[in-house]
Structure formats: structure tokens, C-alpha cells
Amino acid sequence: MLARVWSAAILGIDAIQVGVEVDVSGGLPGITLVGLPDTAVQESRERVKAAIKNSGYAFPMRKIVINLTPADLRKEGPIFDLPISIGILAASEQVDPQLLGDHLFLGEVSLDGSLRPVSGVLPIAVAAQRLGMIGIIVPKENAQEAALVKGLSVYGLATITEVGDFLANPEKYQPVVANHELKWHESEFKLDLKDVKGQHHARRALEIAAAGGHNLIFVGPPGSGKTLLARRLPSILPDMNFDEALEVTRIHSVAGLAKGKGLVSDRPFRSPHHSASGPSLVGGGSFPRPGEITLATNGVLFLDELTEFKRDVLEFLRQPLEDGFVCISRTRQSVTFPAQFTLIASTNPCQCGYYGDSVQPCTCTPRQREQYWAKLSGPLMDRIDLQVTVARLKPEEMTRSLDGENSSSVKERVQASRKIQQNRFEQEAKVNCNAQMQSRHLRQWCKLDNPSRDLLEAAIKRLGLSARATDRILKVSRTIADLVSAENIQVVHIAEAVQYRTLDRVI
């Protein structure tokens, strides 16, 4: 007898429907599995055989042919264990096949017949809804994640036996209901801007970066507080809306970081080590998986000691910083991952770390300093909106009690600024903040009066700014104006934005 069970495979951060066709017929006992299965799928034959027996069912001692369609799509992982098991049971007439046509099945099986959680459940649930499926059957631990998709009946079951009982008596089971409310944990922030002594200029730059989604780099000697500042950025970022949270959860689901966690409500903060390779940063592999820049989508990518990264690795960031996505092309497939993140970086001003320091003299030669900065190309630095020098704290600042604002006060201003930007770009599908503006948006929202234009032209001549760097100044100026609810950009906003191009005088 022939049976067909529907499942799905992950491609990038999306899912494609996969049909599991099982034919049980006469012939020598054995299992043949076709349809480009990888090693994990091939090994499912032994897992499924033991799981069916230990679940109280009879494993058919006949010839079994399993075909995974479409045949030209690579099938990976243990996600097909459950649909293969149900297909064998349906083909051998041990379970009711009536619900197989409008339900989607996925899950790994243990030898005792219990179901284990798998990765990528959320994008599969989204695909199931898009395909018009009535419901989806997943391991119990994945149920809350799948239930985030509205309009789809999700059943979280624990064993193959339960799945068989569900197929026979679906009225006994109730769909899982997920909580779609976002729960932010601002009261749990252990890192607060109030912990930072002095550095008012750097704190201001951090606020502007949070308000407009701008990229930022801190340059200063060791111990000046660069990392301390950068790690406090999440505490002042605006709260994610439901669509942003769903996208982050979807990415984390594919990466295997969201098993059983439900909706991710806090913005990601990723901090890869400087020894990271290009594929680990942007994504890759024979069958591409998301990298750090995709995992940082709608959040922060923090690159500490930026100049310690390999130059070719840093150059991989240029296209994602400009476009907000990264396209990974391989011989067998090509996938596109989102990469809409805020880049925060920190570095020393030279190899010894003390160039320009007021206390410790620099021991580097001009040639050494030139080689040190050569890792950061001009096109890459053009894409960093805010370039801030962080000076060593003065003795009186180090011994003085904390006097700065806390994160919650700064966050209120950031939220108000983002609200202005949301209203401004409400008709734009892919623009949520000032940093994402394109040229046509600059012409519309960044008009300058004569004094502002004269100041900007003087800065371009003096600093030798490129067209891209000039656009960045306009975007930062727009954010500074939004922080004070100014309708138009004024000369004081341009002046402040220009001073954040510190490294244009160095590189």
C-alpha cells in the first residue's frame, strides 16, 4: 500500500514542502530511502524501525521504499523521522490515514518512540500556513514555537503512540495556544549606562546610535571604557515590535537557538571573537547556515578589537552593511539571509594602544601606525556613521561618584525618536529607522538651509569626505534633530554629526 505524509525542509530561513511517500509491498524485507537524503536522514531507517517496535506497533517485514520529494532538493537532519514513521504505519494500515493530507509532521524519534525537538520549526509552521494546511504535529518541546503562527492548529505530542491516537481520535486533543504578547526584561538589565563614569561624549554617541540604528566605532587606549560602553547599548535600544520579534525567533529557530523558548522578545547582542572566519561571520557551508550578522538581525553585532580581525573577514561586512542582507551562493543552491543589524566596534588607536594618550607615550613608529590602520579600508569606514574617540578618564573622574543618566531615562528619548521615524517611514516597507534611508529619502527628509549646506560643504573639503560618508552625516543629523523633535535639520545638528567623523582625519 502507498501512503503520503507531508513534512518540510529548511532552505535558508524559509521552508519548502517535502512529501514523504512510503510504499510497502512484496519482496525481500528491507528499507530503501531515496530523494537526496543526507547521512542523518539515511540513519533514520534504524531509528524508525526500533521506535515503531518499541511503541507497540508491528514493523512490516516487507519491502519498504521511501521517496522524499522533490527529488532534487537535499534533505538534512532528523526532522523526517516522524513523517517516515507515520508513513510506514499508514502504508501498513496500522494508523488512520484520513488526516495525513492536510496536516504536516516533523520531529526526531528516539529508540523508545518518544519525540525529540528539532530546529527550524517556526519557518516550517509559517510555510504550513501558507500552503493551506489545517494543522501541524510537532514534538511537545517545539509546540510553543510553532504556535506563534496564527491561524494554524498546532499539536505538541510526546510519542509516536500519541500521534497514532491523534490520527484515530483527533477530537481528544486540543491545539496549543501560544502567548503572542512580548515580554521585555528591562528590569533584568544588569548592564546600565549609569555604571559608566565620565565619557559624556561617548554616551551621547551611543544614544544617537540607538535612536537612529547607526553603526558606531569607539577608538581609545586600553581601559578607557570602550567595551564597557558598547555592552550597554542593548539597555537603551527601543523595544522590538511583534514582526521584528517573529523574524528574530525565526532566525534563531533555524540556527537551533530557540528550542522551547517561544517568542524572542529581547534584541540580539552578538559578540564574535576576533579569530572568527568569514563564513562564521556572514554565514556559509555546503548547505548555507546563518552566520553572526544574521543572528544579530534587529539587534547588535559587537566587534571588539576590530583591527585584530583579518582584513578579508572585515571586507565581507561591506555588502551586508549597505544592503541589509547577505546572499550566499553555492554550487547546489543560493540563499539570502537578512542582516539588518547595528554594528558596534572598538579598537585601540595603534599597535601599542597609546597613540594620543595624555599619560602613556606611544612607542609605535608612523609606519607601524599606518600598517595597523591598513586593516580597515576606506569603504568599510565610510559605512560606520559614528567614529568616536574615547579618552582616558581623568583621576578626578575615576574617584568621583556616578553622575550619569541611567539606561531607562536615555531609552525614553530613544523610543520617542524611533516613534517619529516610524511615522515618517510608515509607507516604506523596508525602512524602519534613519540609518536605513536611501538617496530618495535623504532628498525628502534631509533638506538643508543655506548655513547648514555651507558647513557641510566646508567639512567635505576639509576632511575629503566621500559621497557615502556625506550621506551618513545627513542621516546622523536627521537623528540628532529627531532626538529634540526638530522638524528640519539645523546647522547645530550638522556640526555635531560632522564631529563624529574622527577617523576621516586618520585613514
Side-chain angles (χ1 to χ4, degrees):
M1 180 178 174
L2 176 67
R4 178 184 285 110
V5 182
W6 294 113
S7 188
I10 297 296
L11 183 62
I13 63 168
D14 297 313
I16 296 177
Q17 187 179 28
V18 170
V20 180
E21 299 174 336
V22 180
D23 180 65
V24 177
S25 59
L28 293 175
I31 302 177
T32 302
L33 186 59
V34 296
L36 281 183
D38 73 345
T39 303
V41 181
Q42 289 281 8
E43 291 175 348
S44 68
R45 293 177 294 183
E46 302 304 322
R47 289 194 300 271
V48 165
K49 185 175 181 179
I52 289 177
K53 289 181 178 180
N54 292 325
S55 296
Y57 294 101
F59 189 83
M61 299 304 294
R62 304 171 68 183
K63 182 179 180 181
I64 301 174
V65 178
I66 303 169
N67 179 38
L68 305 178
T69 61
D72 59 347
L73 176 67
R74 180 77 170 179
K75 320 300 188 305
E76 299 180 271
I79 197 171
F80 301 105
D81 287 4
L82 178 59
I84 288 174
S85 302
I86 298 302
I88 292 174
L89 293 176
S92 58
E93 301 182 342
Q94 298 184 69
V95 298
D96 190 342
Q98 184 176 354
L99 299 179
L100 298 185
D102 49 19
H103 285 70
L104 193 144
F105 296 76
L106 61 135
E108 178 184 348
V109 299
S110 296
L111 298 184
D112 61 356
S114 60
L115 303 184
R116 295 172 52 82
V118 292
S119 302
V121 172
L122 183 56
I124 290 176
V126 172
Q129 183 198 45
R130 185 180 67 246
L131 293 168
M133 293 286 180
I134 293 176
I136 179 171
I137 289 79
V138 299
K140 198 170 184 178
E141 292 87 345
N142 290 128
Q144 283 293 323
E145 181 184 336
L148 294 172
V149 180
K150 299 177 182 179
L152 183 70
S153 296
V154 176
Y155 299 93
L157 304 179
T159 64
I160 290 179
T161 305
E162 278 193 18
V163 178
D165 186 50
F166 166 79
L167 293 174
N169 307 288
E171 67 280 354
K172 290 172 51 178
Y173 295 84
Q174 294 296 320
V176 175
V177 178
N179 185 1
H180 292 83
E181 294 183 5
L182 290 171
K183 295 181 179 180
W184 296 285
H185 308 109
E186 46 188 306
S187 60
E188 300 177 9
F189 279 129
K190 296 180 180 179
L191 302 178
D192 195 290
L193 270 180
K194 193 172 179 63
D195 301 333
V196 180
K197 294 183 178 180
Q199 305 297 6
H200 299 291
H201 181 60
R203 288 167 57 102
R204 170 66 173 172
L206 208 62
E207 179 180 343
I208 295 171
H214 301 289
N215 302 319
L216 166 66
I217 182 172
F218 288 126
V219 181
S224 57
K226 304 184 297 295
T227 303
L228 186 78
L229 284 158
R231 291 193 176 276
R232 278 151 180 77
L233 178 60
S235 67
I236 63 172
L237 287 174
D239 298 327
M240 286 196 292
N241 57 39
F242 182 79
D243 290 338
E244 290 176 321
L246 195 63
E247 182 179 27
V248 172
T249 307
R250 191 175 169 188
I251 294 169
H252 284 207
S253 176
V254 172
L257 303 177
K259 292 181 181 178
K261 294 182 180 178
L263 194 64
V264 177
S265 56
D266 295 324
R267 292 188 181 274
F269 184 89
R270 307 293 299 184
S271 180
H273 191 261
H274 58 73
S275 61
S277 65
S280 70
L281 203 61
V282 302
S286 300
F287 301 94
R289 287 288 182 264
E292 290 292 337
I293 63 174
T294 298
L295 293 174
T297 294
N298 294 328
V300 178
L301 177 69
F302 175 45
L303 301 183
D304 200 7
E305 303 298 341
L306 184 66
T307 48
E308 296 301 320
F309 284 81
K310 296 180 181 178
R311 179 181 174 119
D312 59 338
V313 172
L314 293 178
E315 291 302 299
F316 286 147
L317 294 174
R318 287 166 55 175
Q319 183 253 333
L321 284 173
E322 193 71 23
D323 300 333
F325 63 87
V326 58
C327 184
I328 308 295
S329 297
R330 294 293 181 266
T331 304
R332 296 180 180 178
Q333 59 181 300
S334 180
V335 298
T336 299
F337 293 119
Q340 196 69 66
F341 59 91
T342 298
L343 173 66
I344 302 295
S346 68
T347 185
N348 295 329
C350 64
Q351 188 171 338
C352 75
Y354 295 102
Y355 180 66
D357 186 45
S358 58
V359 177
Q360 184 79 18
C362 174
T363 59
C364 300
T365 64
R367 176 61 178 167
Q368 287 175 323
R369 287 195 292 270
E370 183 180 343
Q371 291 177 338
Y372 180 80
W373 283 103
K375 289 187 177 181
L376 307 181
S377 65
L380 176 63
M381 296 309 299
D382 271 353
R383 289 168 168 83
I384 299 182
D385 309 14
L386 304 166
Q387 305 166 359
V388 181
T389 299
V390 182
R392 178 196 294 266
L393 287 176
K394 298 177 182 178
E396 58 270 22
E397 289 178 319
M398 287 188 277
T399 57
R400 189 182 303 163
S401 59
L402 299 172
D403 58 352
E405 283 184 289
N406 57 30
S407 291
S408 59
S409 300
V410 178
K411 185 175 180 177
E412 288 180 6
R413 294 196 297 271
V414 170
Q415 294 267 47
S417 174
R418 281 293 181 102
K419 184 64 177 177
I420 293 173
Q421 295 168 50
Q422 289 172 6
N423 293 335
R424 177 182 299 140
F425 304 123
E426 61 182 352
Q427 303 299 326
E428 301 289 341
K430 297 183 179 180
V431 181
N432 300 308
C433 59
N434 290 333
Q436 298 170 7
M437 287 193 292
Q438 303 299 320
S439 298
R440 59 189 178 87
H441 303 121
L442 294 177
R443 291 193 298 269
Q444 182 177 0
W445 301 109
C446 297
K447 296 178 180 178
L448 303 179
D449 56 19
N450 290 332
S452 300
R453 185 177 296 105
D454 291 342
L455 177 60
L456 182 57
E457 289 176 358
I460 294 171
K461 294 177 182 177
R462 179 71 180 270
L463 302 177
L465 300 176
S466 66
R468 183 182 289 112
T470 303
D471 288 347
R472 302 280 172 172
I473 289 177
L474 290 173
K475 295 176 184 180
V476 172
S477 301
R478 182 65 267 175
T479 299
I480 296 171
D482 289 340
L483 282 168
V484 293
S485 301
E487 183 176 352
N488 298 314
I489 296 176
Q490 301 171 8
V491 66
V492 63
H493 306 142
I494 292 289
E496 184 176 1
V498 168
Q499 71 170 334
Y500 292 122
R501 302 300 303 185
T502 305
L503 298 183
D504 289 313
R505 306 180 183 93
V506 179
I507 298 178

